[in-house]
């Protein structure tokens, strides 16, 4: 099956903890992304990686860091979560104009 | 940079009625446009990808219109049914690494 796979689906954690989300794509795409979708469903791009090189970093807080071992994987680490980090984090990959989104990781910070 | 405005933010229609969602964009060099559907708790599902040379695009139960002169993209659900209830997002692609999304429209189709 070719798709974008994200783990975990849900994560509940306390303020100040570190979390890490995984994303893997089996589509052979060259570019991967992390988007944040807040409670109002607003989609904001956080990072974009092309062949392990960071392309876009939309001024997200420094506690967020993308990690990529190869072009099929793009993980997201949050060093010390804050309440405002509660959101759905969507991973996506693309080749040209063809985008595919993962099912998302829903983070709740308590 | 590119700005994408999507209207309305919320829309309620009765089953069988049409529903129209519109996006306007600013960059005249935009040449790929997308409509996505997101059901509650699910990811974004691509409804249609439109290239700038195509003005009218027919899908299953919907039509996408592109007016390049006015820089307007619209999604018209011709006879909405409850299964169409979801959030809809337009997106505009201007280069290889940046897609700008509209803020979304929450559509509720009443039986």
């Amino acid at each position: 099956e070719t798709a974008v796979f994200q783990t975990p689906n849900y994560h509940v954690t306390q303020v100040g903890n570190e979390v890490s989300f995984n994303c893997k794509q089996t589509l052979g795409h060259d570019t991967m992304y992390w988007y944040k979708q807040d409670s109002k469903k607003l989609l904001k791009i956080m990072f974009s990686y092309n062949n392990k090189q960071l392309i876009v970093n939309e001024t997200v807080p420094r506690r967020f860091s993308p990690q990529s071992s190869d072009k099929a994987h793009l993980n997201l680490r949050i060093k010390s979560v804050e309440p405002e980090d509660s959101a759905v984090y969507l991973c996506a990959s693309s080749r040209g104009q063809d985008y595919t989104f993962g099912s998302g990781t829903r983070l709740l910070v308590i | 940079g590119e700005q994408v405005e999507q209207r309305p933010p919320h829309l309620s229609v009765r089953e069988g009625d049409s529903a129209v969602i519109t996006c306007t964009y600013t960059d005249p060099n935009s040449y790929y446009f997308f409509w996505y559907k997101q059901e509650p708790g699910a990811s974004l599902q691509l409804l249609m990808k439109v290239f700038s040379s195509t003005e009218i695009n027919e899908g299953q139960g919907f039509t996408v219109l592109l007016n390049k002169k006015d820089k307007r993209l619209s999604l018209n659900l011709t006879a909405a049914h409850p299964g169409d209830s979801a959030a809809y997002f337009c997106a505009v692609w201007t280069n290889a690494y940046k897609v700008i999304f509209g803020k979304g429209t929450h559509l509720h189709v009443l039986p």
Side-chain angles (χ1 to χ4, degrees):
Chain A
E1 184 187 3
T2 54
V4 178
F5 302 96
Q6 287 186 242
T7 57
N9 293 328
Y10 301 95
H11 190 78
V12 182
T13 191
Q14 292 182 324
V15 172
N17 284 351
E18 177 175 315
V19 298
S20 188
F21 305 147
N22 299 315
C23 181
K24 170 187 172 182
Q25 57 96 3
T26 57
L27 296 156
H29 287 170
D30 299 319
T31 309
M32 296 185 71
Y33 312 81
W34 277 105
Y35 285 84
K36 180 181 179 181
Q37 188 172 39
D38 63 21
S39 58
K40 295 182 180 178
K41 298 284 190 178
L42 290 175
L43 275 162
K44 292 183 181 177
I45 188 168
M46 300 177 72
F47 301 103
S48 172
Y49 253 73
N50 177 261
N51 283 327
K52 296 197 292 181
Q53 289 191 328
L54 182 67
I55 303 298
V56 171
N57 179 343
E58 295 291 326
T59 62
V60 299
R62 294 184 66 173
R63 60 181 179 277
F64 289 85
S65 59
Q67 298 166 322
S68 179
S69 56
D70 55 56
K71 70 175 186 177
H73 296 83
L74 183 64
N75 299 332
L76 180 66
R77 186 179 77 159
I78 313 174
K79 261 176 111 170
S80 176
V81 295
E82 300 283 341
E84 61 264 30
D85 299 337
S86 295
V88 175
Y89 292 86
L90 289 166
C91 177
S93 70
S94 73
R95 171 172 286 167
Q97 312 81 35
D98 293 321
Y99 275 71
T100 301
F101 284 84
S103 56
T105 294
R106 189 175 299 273
L107 174 66
L108 177 61
V109 181
I110 56 175
Chain B
E2 173 77 279
Q3 301 286 331
V4 178
E5 293 288 331
Q6 183 171 343
R7 291 280 187 270
H10 300 276
L11 181 59
S12 289
V13 300
R14 294 223 170 260
E15 186 173 5
D17 288 349
S18 64
V20 180
I21 304 169
T22 301
C23 285
T24 56
Y25 58 96
T26 56
D27 188 344
N29 295 317
S30 303
Y31 51 93
Y32 277 106
F33 307 86
F34 307 84
W35 281 104
Y36 287 91
K37 177 183 180 182
Q38 187 179 33
E39 296 179 349
S43 189
L44 280 80
Q45 171 197 351
L46 179 66
L47 286 179
M48 184 169 281
K49 179 175 76 175
V50 176
F51 186 53
S52 63
S53 64
T54 312
E55 293 185 342
I56 301 175
N57 301 267
E58 302 277 346
Q60 198 163 6
F62 62 89
T63 302
V64 171
L65 300 176
L66 175 63
N67 182 325
K68 288 195 71 183
K69 176 174 171 291
D70 295 339
K71 296 197 275 299
R72 181 181 296 120
L73 177 74
S74 64
L75 172 67
N76 185 343
L77 297 164
T78 45
H81 56 87
D84 292 330
S85 295
Y88 291 82
F89 295 89
C90 65
V92 177
W93 188 87
T94 55
N95 61 45
Y97 306 121
K98 201 160 185 177
V99 169
I100 308 297
F101 284 86
K103 291 185 176 180
T105 296
H106 293 82
L107 174 65
H108 187 46
V109 181
L110 303 166

